[in-house]
Amino acid sequence: MAARSTASRPVITLESTAGTGYRYVTRKNRRNTPDRLRLRKYDPVARRHVEFVEVR
């Protein structure tokens, strides 16, 4: 049963669009957000907030 519950919330990687190569790891709900996730988060390498895009 545990495998079924984790299948709907997979672990995804968010990569910075600033080109620094910095990544965040998080989970998302596939039912609510089937498309690629785009979040604005802090990039410590660029030292500013930039958009992070889901990498598959």
Side-chain angles (χ1 to χ4, degrees):
M1 244 181 163
R4 186 173 184 191
S5 65
T6 58
S8 64
R9 294 191 72 84
V11 175
I12 61 162
T13 305
L14 299 171
E15 188 171 4
S16 173
T17 57
T20 59
Y22 193 79
R23 294 179 174 201
Y24 280 102
V25 177
T26 187
R27 293 179 172 269
K28 80 167 187 177
N29 189 330
R30 258 195 208 136
R31 283 189 190 159
N32 296 340
T33 53
D35 301 329
R36 287 194 181 196
L37 199 58
R38 298 179 80 88
L39 294 175
R40 193 161 164 81
K41 294 179 74 66
Y42 183 74
D43 187 341
V45 179
R47 296 193 325 205
R48 60 190 172 104
H49 281 83
V50 296
E51 193 170 55
F52 281 74
V53 181
E54 178 182 342
V55 180
R56 292 192 179 158

